[in-house]
Amino acid sequence: MITHPDFVAEPWRLRASGLDLSVLAQVESIFALSNGYLGWRGNLDEGEPHGLPGSYLNGVFELRSLPYAEAGFGYPESGQTMINVTNGKVIRLLVDDEPFDIRTGVLRSHELCLDFRTGLLRRRVEWISPAGRAIRMTSSRIVSFSQRSIAAVDYGVEVLDGPARVVLQSELIANEPLPPQAADPRAARELADVLEGAEHRSDGRRVALAHVTRQSRLTIASSMDHVVDGPAGTKVSSDSSPDLGRVSVSADLVPGQRLRLVKMVAFAWSGSRSLPALRDQADAALTGATSAGWDDLVAEQRSYLDDYWEHCDIRIEGDVRLQQAARFALFHTLQAGARAEGVAIPAKGLTGPGYDGHAFWDMESYVLAALTYLVPEAAANGLRWRQDTLPAAITRASQLGLAGAAFPWRTIHGEECSGYWPAGVAAFHINADIADAVLRYVNATGNREFEQSVGVDLLVHTARLWTSLGYFDADGRFRIDGVTGPDEYSAVADNNVYTNLMAQRNLVAAADTIARHPERVADLQVGDDEAAIWRRAAAGMFIPFDHTLGVHPQSEGFTHHEKWDFEKTGADQYPLLLHFPYFDLYRKQVVKQADLVLAMHFRSDAFTAEQKARNFAYYDALTVRDSSLSSSVQAIIAAEIGQLDLAHDYLAESAFLDLDDTGHNTRDGLHIASLAGIWSALVAGYGGMRHDETGLAFTPRLPRGFSRMSFGLRMAGGTLRVKLTRTHATYDRTSGPPLHLRHYDTSMQVASLEPQTLPIPPAAVAGKTPTQPAHRSPAPYSGGTPDRQDQRSRR
């Protein structure tokens, strides 16, 4: 677990003023840089030591077999795993022939600093070699938002106490050896030596390599160029081989002199374009970057981020540690999706190989839920990728004997990759999650062209699945039996409330949207009565309710199951999936992650206030939060029902999940959906924001510890900034056309330069604080350092 006293609470930076090798892999994830297309883990510049090396191109994967002891019809035959591509980060340093290695000599100081405003990762080191020579090394690293193929390093070294010969070796390395695979099923599958050398060349300060993946046959081109600034006599040479390209720089330095190396690296990849075309693409990108230079690249990055923070920043007064965590979350959510064009957003982003680099349903339900209001075009790109993968989803539905599309539970390229059949076959809620993301994006942007060209396709094909999968019973109720909802500790259940409510919205939206775009009826072959069947199924959707307990069962009959014996479950037996068979989990009342509670968030309109309070209390006592997807949603509903102290504890759990590595798996990459969920917990929880077809509404309420909070939303061609105190809310349309919204029961129009301030009504007296399973209460958070005694593994 990371418990760094070095992570000083700073509002705009994350700084580690020391280096603990026992948590190096976790630190590499936290300090990773990415733009959604290209990702570099925060490995040390010299390449060693490392916890887990990582250089990723989004969408680049290798195929692997999915062995089954007993195969079944419809099981996926192969999986896809994100691979470690050519590493362009490495710059090795030798001082009088002694390699700079922090494990040798004396490390006088070491600092890493990630600046959220500039997007730069800076490093500063003072080291004394085993021979006694003292040096200072500084580096700055960038993965560009404006030039998506480009990453760069500005590396400098100076001697402090006498002359020395210094050699820098800047490298491109393919097929790096990887550490042994972890036993945790959430970790990645280890694939070694997957890149076949196709071309290598060196010319002065420029080196290029090209490779092809052995099974998936994807072609990757990488190239690097350098600017060298050193004293007279500085020498440069280069060489290359199939898996290694190197530029060597040597200089004799005396105190007061500095050797500086600016390294630009470019990447291109494709599954269809030729090697010459990709080589030329990488070379062109590299030429453009080197012509502009380091300073212009940094200025472009600052300009991009200035715009982002101006419109999207969350400002918190009263808790600098949560302020830091919020901006950390906003920064990494942006990094995960900003330039993910034509590809998915993996569960770990490009910060590590966890979950094999797969995208899940939480891309739409968590990450796009935030990006829709932060970077709308990134959300649109995520949905365009789903449209691109429609053929695979239609094929999958046909294979399962269903109409429409069956989108995969986990994938990189669009095909189902899960060998866990209760999810890979039965987690159909992904269809409704995609439909919900379409509706959210169109409602937020008003982009009817997108709805016509992308949204209709997704809504129609997802709706067709529901009428094929479900049926009308003798009482005229529309049932969807035998599905797996968001909670992975329940599987293949009848009438999961989340699935049914989200499918209901999906069906109505498909009918409404096709009515708005009759020009698409013919090419989608929507029959005369098909939309009517969608509406009838939605109207008759069966939503189970337990009248005896006064709560909604998560799925039909769930509240009649035996309850899990939490008192006999030890604190060291979480997460349960690593200590108990799924068979036992499936037949008990135990919840891995928010399911019915998630339904109350996304379908708030389907529950009364009393039902929300009763449901929340019932399921909080069953939810063990073995998934990082849970605590942010529990924070939202806890805030809505007036349990602000509990909401704050859940928010803190999400906020520090990766920063403190409370789940013990940050080494494999950050939890991007959980980070995006922090945005939702603050905006939908404390801001009380709800946005659906009926409009935009806010019911804000600040917790203890926050004196003020504000957040920005990009909506309908402009920006809305919401500013909250403990007694008033101000709605400021800083740009764009007038916007209609509701504040509690008051409707208003907010126009540019005409902010509206309204009082926040007194809070109703909250009921009894819900209880949680033994050992699973969130750690109390009072604004300082949370008590970590009850923190255990999370997904």
Side-chain angles (χ1 to χ4, degrees):
M1 181 182 293
I2 298 176
T3 56
H4 285 284
D6 323 328
F7 283 2
V8 179
E10 299 179 65
W12 284 106
R13 297 179 184 87
L14 187 69
R15 189 191 308 268
S17 301
L19 191 63
D20 182 351
L21 294 183
S22 69
V23 293
L24 184 56
Q26 293 90 323
V27 169
E28 291 165 349
S29 297
I30 287 169
F31 287 98
L33 295 180
S34 167
N35 59 17
Y37 173 83
L38 164 65
W40 277 1
R41 280 174 62 82
N43 304 118
L44 303 180
D45 299 276
E46 53 275 14
E48 297 178 6
H50 58 241
L52 186 63
S55 301
Y56 309 110
L57 290 171
N58 197 350
V60 174
F61 66 92
E62 182 62 307
L63 293 169
R64 57 182 176 81
S65 62
L66 289 176
Y68 300 97
E70 294 184 21
F73 181 81
Y75 287 12
E77 295 180 357
S78 65
Q80 302 158 6
T81 295
M82 182 172 73
I83 62 171
N84 186 28
V85 299
T86 314
N87 183 0
K89 300 187 293 291
V90 174
I91 300 176
R92 305 191 195 278
L93 166 63
L94 291 89
V95 180
D96 285 339
D97 296 327
E98 291 271 9
F100 167 46
D101 188 318
I102 59 172
R103 296 166 296 189
T104 65
V106 178
L107 187 64
R108 293 206 301 208
S109 65
H110 190 285
E111 180 178 271
L112 283 170
C113 181
L114 178 60
D115 191 314
F116 308 138
R117 286 180 295 192
T118 65
L120 292 177
L121 174 62
R122 293 190 173 93
R123 184 178 177 217
R124 182 182 177 90
V125 184
E126 289 193 5
W127 177 75
I128 302 175
S129 73
R133 181 63 66 225
I135 61 107
R136 176 182 298 123
M137 186 280 288
T138 59
S139 70
S140 295
R141 185 183 295 176
I142 189 172
V143 174
S144 175
F145 288 118
S146 58
Q147 302 183 46
R148 74 169 195 160
S149 303
I150 297 296
V153 183
D154 182 356
Y155 189 98
V157 61
E158 54 189 306
V159 294
L160 302 179
D161 59 353
R165 171 160 295 232
V166 171
V167 177
L168 301 180
Q169 294 177 321
S170 174
E171 298 181 352
L172 282 175
I173 309 169
N175 290 316
E176 285 181 287
L178 297 175
Q181 178 182 336
D184 192 329
R186 300 166 294 183
R189 307 300 186 270
E190 182 180 348
L191 294 176
D193 196 29
V194 298
L195 298 174
E196 296 178 350
E199 182 178 280
H200 63 91
R201 52 196 168 92
S202 59
D203 181 11
R205 299 174 181 180
R206 180 173 289 208
V207 173
L209 302 179
H211 291 84
V212 178
T213 54
R214 294 188 185 278
Q215 301 299 324
S216 56
R217 307 312 294 171
L218 304 178
T219 303
I220 304 162
S222 57
S223 55
M224 63 178 182
D225 204 346
H226 303 78
V227 175
V228 178
D229 182 10
T234 299
K235 298 178 181 178
V236 180
S237 62
S238 64
D239 61 277
S240 66
S241 60
D243 284 350
L244 176 65
R246 180 168 49 210
V247 170
S248 300
V249 181
S250 63
D252 292 322
L253 297 184
V254 298
Q257 291 181 324
R258 185 169 184 264
L259 177 60
R260 181 191 182 200
L261 178 71
V262 174
K263 176 181 187 176
M264 300 276 188
V265 189
F267 295 89
W269 75 270
S270 175
S272 59
R273 300 179 65 215
S274 68
L275 189 152
L278 293 172
R279 178 187 62 213
D280 292 348
Q281 178 184 339
D283 284 348
L286 186 62
T287 297
T290 53
S291 297
W294 171 264
D295 290 342
D296 281 359
L297 199 65
V298 171
E300 288 175 5
Q301 193 86 336
R302 180 62 188 253
S303 177
Y304 185 99
L305 286 166
D306 281 348
D307 179 72
Y308 179 66
W309 293 118
E310 178 186 353
H311 293 93
C312 305
D313 188 23
I314 295 179
R315 300 166 192 163
I316 298 169
E317 292 184 21
D319 192 324
V320 69
R321 192 161 183 254
L322 272 177
Q323 175 68 87
Q324 180 187 52
R327 287 186 174 133
F328 175 81
L330 285 169
F331 181 73
H332 275 291
T333 301
L334 173 68
Q335 287 202 132
R339 302 305 304 271
E341 297 146 7
V343 290
I345 300 176
K348 297 286 190 178
L350 300 179
T351 66
Y355 297 109
D356 289 307
H358 291 165
F360 294 76
W361 62 276
D362 36 283
M363 182 182 89
E364 281 79 16
S365 295
Y366 289 77
V367 184
L368 298 193
L371 288 177
T372 292
Y373 301 98
L374 300 173
V375 190
E377 187 55 30
N381 285 332
L383 293 169
R384 291 188 185 103
W385 171 77
R386 287 294 189 187
Q387 184 190 37
D388 290 343
T389 64
L390 254 176
I394 292 170
T395 298
R396 178 65 171 162
S398 177
Q399 184 184 32
L400 297 175
L402 299 169
F407 282 95
W409 186 58
R410 60 187 298 172
T411 190
I412 294 175
H413 188 255
E415 299 81 11
E416 180 60 68
C417 291
S418 176
Y420 171 62
W421 74 265
V425 173
F428 292 109
H429 68 86
I430 178 64
N431 268 34
D433 301 325
I434 293 168
D436 189 57
V438 170
L439 294 178
R440 184 186 303 112
Y441 174 79
V442 173
N443 288 335
T445 64
N447 189 341
R448 295 300 176 187
E449 188 282 327
F450 176 90
E451 182 181 68
Q452 187 270 342
S453 61
V454 178
V456 175
D457 285 350
L458 293 172
L459 290 170
V460 165
H461 286 291
T462 51
R464 281 174 169 157
L465 178 117
W466 299 120
T467 51
S468 172
L469 181 67
Y471 69 98
F472 292 96
D473 66 13
D475 297 322
R477 303 176 304 181
F478 190 77
R479 300 176 55 91
I480 304 176
D481 293 340
V483 299
T484 299
D487 171 30
E488 295 158 23
Y489 286 171
S490 300
V492 197
D494 295 342
N495 297 295
N496 171 257
V497 170
Y498 175 88
T499 301
N500 285 19
L501 283 174
M502 298 296 283
Q504 183 183 57
R505 171 177 281 173
N506 188 170
L507 290 161
V508 172
D512 289 347
T513 304
I514 202 68
R516 281 195 298 272
H517 300 282
E519 70 280 3
R520 297 298 315 277
V521 168
D523 60 283
L524 286 170
Q525 299 180 337
V526 179
D528 293 340
D529 60 349
E530 191 170 10
I533 294 173
W534 295 339
R535 293 190 190 278
R536 181 179 164 222
M541 188 67 68
F542 175 43
I543 308 300
F545 188 78
D546 186 327
H547 292 278
T548 302
L549 295 174
V551 300
H552 289 82
Q554 181 171 281
S555 299
E556 187 178 6
F558 178 83
T559 49
H560 298 299
H561 293 176
E562 181 186 359
K563 289 189 176 181
W564 187 270
D565 192 340
F566 295 108
E567 295 301 325
K568 291 185 179 179
T569 305
D572 59 351
Q573 291 182 291
Y574 292 93
L576 298 179
L577 72 128
L578 299 184
H579 299 92
F580 297 93
Y582 272 111
F583 158 75
D584 206 16
L585 298 169
Y586 288 164
R587 63 194 188 94
K588 302 284 180 64
Q589 287 191 63
V590 57
V591 179
K592 181 180 181 182
Q593 63 207 73
D595 189 309
L596 193 284
V597 172
L598 187 65
M600 294 196 297
H601 173 43
F602 286 137
R603 286 298 313 272
S604 182
D605 60 301
F607 302 87
T608 67
E610 181 184 4
Q611 287 172 344
K612 289 177 182 177
R614 290 180 66 89
N615 284 339
F616 184 83
Y618 187 86
Y619 286 96
D620 225 40
L622 301 175
T623 303
V624 295
R625 301 190 316 287
D626 282 348
S627 166
S628 64
L629 302 180
S630 198
S631 53
S632 62
V633 178
Q634 289 171 279
I636 293 169
I637 302 302
E640 182 177 355
I641 65 174
Q643 297 289 347
L644 285 173
D645 288 344
L646 181 58
H648 214 46
D649 293 343
Y650 280 136
L651 168 65
E653 181 170 291
S654 281
F656 304 117
L657 171 69
D658 284 315
L659 289 173
D660 291 342
D661 191 26
T662 56
H664 304 290
N665 62 348
T666 297
R667 73 180 309 276
D668 297 315
L670 301 181
H671 299 78
I672 299 300
S674 180
L675 291 168
I678 296 167
W679 178 89
S680 292
L682 290 166
V683 172
Y686 300 153
M689 186 183 100
R690 300 294 184 269
H691 190 203
D692 57 24
E693 296 85 333
T694 65
L696 176 66
F698 296 90
T699 55
R701 184 87 57 204
L702 289 187
R704 288 184 296 175
F706 283 19
S707 56
R708 295 175 183 269
M709 185 180 90
S710 69
F711 54 88
L713 306 169
R714 282 178 159 142
M715 296 184 66
T719 301
L720 174 71
R721 180 151 286 277
V722 180
K723 305 172 185 177
L724 305 176
T725 68
R726 302 192 66 79
T727 59
H728 288 80
T730 299
Y731 302 95
D732 187 1
R733 183 66 159 159
T734 56
S735 63
L739 193 65
H740 293 273
L741 59 86
R742 294 192 312 276
H743 169 84
Y744 286 88
D745 295 327
T746 302
S747 296
M748 70 180 79
Q749 177 176 276
V750 183
S752 183
L753 304 179
E754 297 178 7
Q756 304 262 11
T757 300
L758 290 91
I760 295 174
V765 177
K768 182 181 178 182
T769 302
T771 60
Q772 296 78 40
H775 311 299
R776 304 309 287 167
S777 297
Y781 182 77
S782 59
T785 301
D787 179 358
R788 299 182 178 87
Q789 295 305 308
D790 227 3
Q791 298 285 356
R792 293 291 182 264
S793 295
R794 306 284 187 262
R795 167 179 155 189

